[in-house]
Structures are given as C-alpha cells and as structure tokens.
Amino acid sequence: MAISKEHELYARRKSRNIFVSLALVAFVILVFAITIAKFQDGQLIEGFDHSYRATLLKVEE
Amino acid sequence: MVDSTVISKPQEVKISEVLELLKPRVMSLVIFTAFIGMIIAPMGINPVLAFASLVFIAIGAGGSGALNMWWDEDVDRLMKRTRNRPVPAGTVSGEDARLLGLWCSGFAILMLALTANFLAAGILAFTIFFYVVVYTMFLKRRTAQNIVIGGAAGAFPPLIGWASVTNGIALEPILLFMVIFLWTPPHFWALALVTKEEYSLAKVPMLTVTRGEKVTRRYIFWYSISLIPICLLIAFSSIGGPLTLGLVIVLNIMFVLASHQVMTRDADDSARDNYNREKNLFRLSIWYLFVMFAGLGVESMLHTFYEPYLVWPELF
C-alpha cells in the first residue's frame, strides 16, 4: 500500500468534527433564540441572586 | 516501533452512520404528527419555541431508535430488511449505539422541559421508555400482540405536540393517539405478510408467524374498520370540519376496500402477484395517515380565517 499523506481515518474524523462543531453552534443559537422568545412572551424574569423575588412581595393596595 | 493496528483499519464512525442510528424515517413521522398536534391546539405558541420543541422531540425519537438498534442487533442481523443497519453491519458498535441513545434521550427530555413544559417532557420520557423497554425489550420477542400494544409508542407524538402548546391534555389529541394506535397494526401486518419468512427466521412472534396469514388478514380488515368511528368523532370535534369529514370518508373507504382485498385472498393468490395487494395496502396506509393529519392541519388554519365554521356541529 502506498504511503499517502493522509489516512482515510483523518478524513472520517474531519467530517465528524465539522458536524459536531456545526451542531454545537446550532445548539448555542437555538438556546439563545429560546431565551429571547421566552422574554418576548412576557414571562416573569426574576433574579434570585441578592434580590427580592417579585412574586413573594405583598401586593400594596 | 509503529503501532500498525491503529491505522490499518479505520474505526472512526461516519456521521451518516450515526444519523442512520437515529432512524430518520421514523423521526420524520414523529416530527410531522407532533407538528400537527401543535398547530391544532387551541392556543398559540411562539414559532421559535415550537421549532425548538420539535427539534427536541425529534432528538428524543432518534435516541429511542438508537436504543432499539442496540438491543435488537441479533434480530436485525437475521432479517434482510434490517441487516444493513449500522450495528448489525458492524460499522457502529452496540455500546456506541447505546450511549448515543441514552444521551440523546436524556438531552431531549431535559431540553423539552426547559423549552416547553414538564408535561410535554414527561410524555416524551414515557414514550421513549415505552418504545425501548416495553416494546423492544419485552413485547417484541414475547407476544404476537407486540405491535398492537407497542404501537402506542408511535401514537404519542401528537399528544406531546399538543401538551407543548397547552401544558395540558384534551380529548382531541387523545383521538389522534387512537387513530395512530389503531392504524399501526394493519400498517405493520401488511408489511409482515410480505416479509413473514424473515420474522420467522428471526424468531420474532409476529401475528403472521404465530397465527398464520389467514388470521392476520382478518385482523387487518377489522382494525381498518375500527378506525372509522374514531375518525368520525374527530370530524365532529372542535378540530374537525367539512374538510376533515370529506377526507375521513374518502380515506377510510379506500383503506377498508384495500384491507378487504387483502382479507379475501390467500397465500397462493399473493404469491402469484408477488404480494402486490399487500404492498399496496402498506403504501396506502402511509398516505392515509399523512393526508389525514395534513388535512387536520389545513382545517385548523381554516378555522382561524373562515367564518362558516362557526355553524359546524361540534359534538365536543
């Protein structure tokens, strides 16, 4: 067998790595889009870090 | 010294082989029926959330497909229809298929819970459990009712779609569940009539193997009859209308006639034309489900834009 510069193994790995990279980028974009969509739907945004939870506060007349 | 074992034979899995593990054809049916479950729901959903939910439902379906291929390696190897699947063909190891299935399933359930709601994610989790554990691990190799009970797994997607939008369950998606549930046996038995030797060889107790062709043909006919009342109920429900009623009448007449043709012939008749009628019934069953659900999707859009639907007699 002739010695080739690149073994088929690397071609297989390359296509797999490209696919995994694209899938990860797509996932990041999707999570970002979900976040924006949930905010736009007017869902309650509460910060639990060192702040009051709006839903636990008494309603003032 | 060079370790030649590493480079002599490529062991890296191709992406196409990984995607094949996810059973793309089954996945497309799941996406389609879940999508219809979403658009017929009485409430709206943000398109981004709908799209994301469908992606996660599809990944969950793919995960269960990979787990099915992992468990069924020995059976798949014996059947012509399945022997070229990645695990029996040796291109992907069973262990890799199992890991992929578990990761996809867990990831999909978690993400659907975060994107839609816990009810939809719970039904997805139950669907995966039902398909992998109840159907694949227990029913498939033990009883001739394997695809009758196991068919429920394929019937859940419209419920998941509906629950993703409404965070609840109603009679309408349950009727859609019933349609797929009752449609599955004649669909698979039509295929089993054509490939009954393979199932026999693989020792899978399909009805064609345990009870014979004659009984299977009779069952196919009666299951196709049982679809009629369910479909009529859908036509006169809040998701139905004149279009659905028209489709229900035409599709069910075609399906019952095709089933009747299959019932009234025997193995010799079928062998003479190479199981042509059975193959026709199998193809027709795919169109039956596709057109019925697509019609419901169109009907739901007509409900939004077309006034005369207000006078349609809705039973519930």
Side-chain angles (χ1 to χ4, degrees):
Chain A
M1 198 174 91
I3 299 170
S4 58
K5 195 178 171 187
E6 280 202 341
H7 195 276
E8 192 199 347
L9 188 73
Y10 296 106
R12 278 170 168 250
R13 273 186 188 165
K14 190 179 175 184
S15 71
R16 195 178 66 176
N17 291 344
I18 289 171
F19 181 84
V20 170
S21 310
L22 289 175
L24 282 172
V25 170
F27 178 62
V28 169
I29 293 169
L30 193 60
V31 170
F32 181 70
I34 291 168
T35 311
I36 298 297
K38 285 203 174 250
F39 282 173
Q40 279 180 342
D41 282 353
Q43 298 189 10
L44 192 62
I45 305 162
E46 290 183 336
F48 293 101
D49 48 341
H50 312 289
S51 65
Y52 293 112
R53 285 182 67 183
T55 46
L56 293 180
L57 293 174
K58 282 182 182 172
V59 179
E60 290 178 16
E61 295 296 326
Chain B
M1 199 178 94
V2 178
D3 183 2
S4 61
T5 57
V6 176
I7 56 172
S8 60
K9 192 183 175 195
Q11 292 295 323
E12 300 283 323
V13 179
K14 273 186 187 170
I15 284 303
S16 60
E17 291 156 359
V18 174
L19 294 180
E20 209 181 322
L21 277 177
L22 305 180
K23 293 195 174 183
R25 281 202 300 191
V26 176
M27 199 192 262
S28 62
L29 180 70
V30 169
I31 294 170
F32 176 64
T33 53
F35 173 67
I36 296 298
M38 275 180 181
I39 59 173
I40 61 168
M43 295 156 68
I45 184 173
N46 186 304
V48 173
L49 298 182
F51 173 77
S53 299
L54 283 175
V55 168
F56 300 130
I57 292 168
I59 293 172
S64 64
L67 288 168
N68 169 274
M69 285 205 201
W70 156 65
W71 188 264
D72 273 350
E73 181 191 355
D74 54 337
V75 172
D76 286 349
R77 191 178 289 126
L78 297 170
M79 302 209 307
K80 201 169 133 192
R81 188 173 66 88
T82 53
R83 70 169 60 131
N84 290 326
R85 284 177 175 174
V87 181
T91 49
V92 178
S93 72
E95 179 65 14
D96 283 348
R98 186 173 66 93
L99 281 174
L100 180 78
L102 286 173
W103 277 107
C104 280
S105 302
F107 171 78
I109 293 163
L110 178 72
M111 289 308 298
L112 189 64
L114 295 172
T115 306
N117 53 62
F118 284 97
L119 178 65
I123 304 172
L124 179 65
F126 182 73
T127 306
I128 295 169
F129 166 80
F130 199 87
Y131 182 65
V132 177
V133 180
V134 178
Y135 169 70
T136 306
M137 294 182 177
F138 287 98
L139 295 172
K140 187 173 177 179
R141 298 168 195 235
R142 283 180 174 82
T143 168
Q145 298 298 312
N146 47 15
I147 55 150
V148 177
I149 308 164
F156 277 113
L159 275 171
I160 303 172
W162 179 285
S164 299
V165 178
T166 63
N167 197 11
I169 296 295
L171 189 57
E172 290 88 342
I174 292 173
L175 287 172
L176 296 189
F177 170 93
M178 286 302 296
V179 167
I180 303 178
F181 182 69
L182 294 172
W183 165 91
T184 305
H187 170 74
F188 277 108
W189 284 333
L191 181 70
L193 283 170
V194 182
T195 58
K196 71 174 193 298
E197 275 85 13
E198 289 194 26
Y199 283 114
S200 178
L201 192 70
K203 294 188 172 63
V204 176
M206 288 294 277
L207 197 65
T208 46
V209 177
T210 58
R211 304 284 301 276
E213 279 202 21
K214 199 177 172 188
V215 173
T216 307
R217 289 169 192 276
R218 210 167 57 230
Y219 275 34
I220 285 175
F221 178 71
W222 287 112
Y223 268 92
S224 67
I225 292 281
S226 72
L227 279 163
I228 297 171
I230 306 294
C231 290
L232 285 173
L233 273 175
I234 292 173
F236 292 103
S237 72
S238 67
I239 58 170
L243 175 66
T244 306
L245 183 63
L247 286 175
V248 161
I249 292 168
V250 173
L251 289 170
N252 278 289
I253 287 174
M254 289 172 72
F255 199 51
V256 168
L257 283 177
S259 304
H260 188 262
Q261 284 179 343
V262 168
M263 183 179 72
T264 52
R265 62 204 316 241
D266 56 25
D268 293 335
D269 297 331
S270 299
R272 267 193 289 279
D273 69 357
N274 197 22
Y275 285 83
N276 205 19
R277 295 266 166 84
E278 289 77 5
K279 287 175 188 170
N280 278 343
L281 177 64
F282 179 73
R283 278 192 290 268
L284 177 69
S285 68
I286 295 169
W287 280 107
Y288 174 94
L289 201 70
F290 175 74
V291 175
M292 175 90 73
F293 274 68
L296 283 167
V298 173
E299 189 98 70
S300 77
M301 284 185 254
L302 290 174
H303 271 287
T304 315
F305 301 113
Y306 194 52
E307 194 71 11
Y309 274 88
L310 293 172
V311 296
W312 184 252
E314 288 176 13
L315 298 176
F316 52 92

